[in-house]
Amino acid sequence: MRYLYTAIRFLPMTALFAAVVYLPIGILLHVRKKPYPFIRQLANWLLVGYFFALIYVTFFWAPTNIPLTLKERLHLVPGDSFLYAFQYDGGLWSSQIMWNVCLFMPLGGLLPCAFPSLRKGAWKTVLICLMLPLCIEFVQFFVGRVADMDDVITNALGGVFGRALYTVAAWAFGRVRFFEPIFTDHTKTPGHIAAILTMMLILIVPSALDLLNAALPYGLFPIAG
């Protein structure tokens, strides 16, 4: 989790940038007498800040001056990063894999909050959370950074997790007046069941794998020191 701890220091700058960018939009909506409710404004502001943080993390964070070969910059075989984490990076939980999952969780949850058209049918949000990492990895390859298929997989998984959290939140808070502007068009009962099952798979399956690999020195989910 060291990647998450390091990223916390960027939150104040991200919040300020989002406020500066979104303030003119909020003023314009107010002048046109079409102001969004506070909770909707908050969701939009968080989404703007998230995209700023995402661009910084994926293209400018931890640059390297060491020239990389084509083989080192292009990882198209799924699973290589997982194997590396198990063998050399202190386990899955403390590796960059979990950081990549957590990185896209906010996107999966904020998109349907900000855009009502994405509230019905989780597949739209999941598709965005799949296509965006593909585009990011494509661009990263041409700017000299590493393009990794495992990053696409873990980013998409994070988006699915975030969308599942949104669905459960819609079920829990959708009928509360304060939250209506972002949860009004939440999915029906089958969607809630699917979201709960998704979270169970995301949480239980890795834990089960950890138990199966308990004999390893670090396991899959050691607590980073």
Side-chain angles (χ1 to χ4, degrees):
M1 296 295 287
R2 60 184 180 273
Y3 296 94
L4 293 180
Y5 299 148
T6 304
I8 290 176
R9 64 183 181 182
F10 299 116
L11 291 181
M13 181 175 62
T14 300
L16 177 61
F17 177 84
V20 171
V21 171
Y22 190 72
L23 182 60
I25 300 176
I27 294 175
L28 179 62
L29 291 172
H30 183 76
V31 171
R32 298 181 61 182
K33 297 183 179 180
K34 293 182 179 180
Y36 290 161
F38 171 76
I39 188 68
R40 178 78 180 279
Q41 298 270 22
L42 179 61
N44 293 347
W45 170 66
L46 290 173
L47 188 61
V48 172
Y50 169 80
F51 277 117
F52 168 73
L54 181 64
I55 292 173
Y56 180 82
V57 167
T58 54
F59 294 109
F60 301 102
W61 192 20
T64 177
N65 295 324
I66 302 175
L68 301 176
T69 64
L70 177 63
K71 184 178 180 180
E72 292 172 329
R73 291 195 297 114
L74 187 61
H75 302 161
L76 296 179
V77 180
D80 283 352
S81 296
F82 295 93
L83 293 175
Y84 182 87
F86 299 156
Q87 297 177 2
Y88 306 108
D89 206 15
L92 179 61
W93 182 253
S94 63
S95 72
Q96 191 175 354
I97 293 174
M98 289 306 301
W99 160 245
N100 284 330
V101 172
C102 295
L103 180 63
F104 267 70
M105 282 176 56
L107 182 65
L110 287 174
L111 281 175
C113 289
F115 300 102
S117 61
L118 297 178
R119 295 173 190 172
K120 290 183 178 180
W123 68 270
K124 300 177 184 178
T125 302
V126 173
L127 182 61
I128 293 174
C129 292
L130 175 61
M131 297 306 297
L132 184 57
L134 280 172
C135 294
I136 289 175
E137 296 302 315
F138 180 79
V139 175
Q140 281 186 329
F141 175 76
F142 287 100
V143 298
R145 297 175 71 91
V146 177
D148 195 332
M149 183 58 66
D150 285 342
D151 288 352
V152 176
I153 296 173
T154 50
N155 289 161
L157 181 62
V160 171
F161 193 18
R163 184 58 173 80
L165 290 176
Y166 169 86
T167 303
V168 174
W171 171 68
F173 301 107
R175 295 182 181 179
V176 178
R177 181 176 295 274
F178 180 75
F179 295 104
E180 283 182 354
I182 58 174
F183 290 144
T184 300
D185 298 320
H186 59 268
T187 56
K188 298 180 180 180
T189 302
H192 306 323
I193 296 175
I196 293 173
L197 290 176
T198 300
M199 288 192 296
M200 289 178 62
L201 288 173
I202 293 173
L203 295 174
I204 294 177
V205 171
S207 299
L209 291 174
D210 188 32
L211 292 176
L212 292 175
N213 288 272
L216 295 177
Y218 297 101
L220 302 183
F221 294 96
I223 300 176

